[in-house]
Amino acid sequence: MSTTQSERLRGLLEPLVSAEQLDLEEIEVTRAGRRRVLRIIVDSEEGVELDACAELSRAISQKLDETDAMGEDEYVLEVSSPGADRPLTEHRHYVRATGRLARFRLHEGGELVARILVVDDEGIDLEVPGVKGRKPTSRRIAFDEIARARVEIEFSRKDKKEEEA
């Protein structure tokens, strides 16, 4: 998708997304055969429920029908949340992932899997799981040390609500 189209769609759709107290994370237009797919990814501090995606999808569809932002070609609209193993690219993503296990690829070439404990403006305090019965260790990394980061899916992770009960 061209930057101009991306910027135009973002300008058109961001007010609709913000009105629902959601963050517009990503806009992607891809080809699927003869059609195009317009994928809108939204998120919030509390996550996004299916009903919110459906309601937002109707509002976005109506807005796109009123404009020529997608041109005359057919397209399919998809509105969804980022998914469990989303890449962490913004400060707010790290804050939302507090308590979660994440895989970090560092600029220095190393890779690290650790639990996010605290996020501030400069970086992240982590808990690195112990290996072979050893205790976990603490580590701090600055944001500028991180080349890529992604939440790791944990099937046996306790939910915060379960821990509070």
Side-chain angles (χ1 to χ4, degrees):
M1 174 170 62
S2 70
T3 304
T4 310
Q5 185 183 25
S6 176
E7 290 170 358
R8 185 171 179 204
L9 285 170
R10 184 167 285 279
L12 184 69
L13 303 179
E14 198 141 36
L16 295 173
V17 174
S18 296
E20 299 296 324
Q21 280 77 50
L22 298 171
D23 297 317
L24 179 56
E25 296 290 344
E26 187 178 335
I27 298 173
E28 178 183 57
V29 178
T30 57
R31 282 252 169 233
R34 294 183 194 179
R35 295 183 197 192
R36 293 174 297 159
V37 177
L38 172 59
R39 204 166 278 116
I40 310 291
I41 308 296
V42 296
D43 202 5
S44 78
E45 295 294 325
E46 297 79 35
V48 182
E49 293 187 6
L50 185 59
D51 289 343
C53 284
E55 187 174 319
L56 183 59
S57 179
R58 286 188 288 276
I60 289 173
S61 180
Q62 181 177 352
K63 180 60 104 178
L64 291 173
D65 287 348
E66 293 170 0
T67 68
D68 66 345
M70 289 299 292
E72 297 297 318
D73 294 337
E74 289 184 30
Y75 67 93
V76 175
L77 174 63
E78 294 179 4
V79 177
S80 66
S81 62
D85 63 343
R86 62 128 15 107
L88 304 173
T89 57
E90 304 282 337
H91 184 271
R92 69 178 179 264
H93 298 163
Y94 291 95
V95 171
R96 290 176 187 161
T98 299
R100 305 279 310 267
L101 199 63
R103 180 175 302 273
F104 300 90
R105 181 164 296 145
L106 306 177
H107 286 294
E108 67 187 31
E111 191 168 272
L112 173 69
V113 176
R115 189 165 309 280
I116 299 172
L117 298 178
V118 176
V119 179
D120 60 33
D121 291 338
E122 288 82 40
I124 309 166
D125 291 330
L126 303 169
E127 179 184 75
V128 181
V131 179
K132 296 184 180 178
R134 293 187 180 147
K135 291 185 179 182
T137 57
S138 297
R139 179 164 177 188
R140 170 126 180 118
I141 56 174
F143 286 116
D144 62 3
E145 293 178 63
I146 302 169
R148 289 194 313 178
R150 182 177 295 277
V151 170
E152 289 282 290
I153 297 173
E154 294 179 84
F155 293 105
S156 62
R157 178 178 163 259
K158 286 187 178 180
D159 193 353
K160 289 179 186 178
K161 294 174 186 168
E162 288 178 27
E163 291 175 3
E164 293 171 0

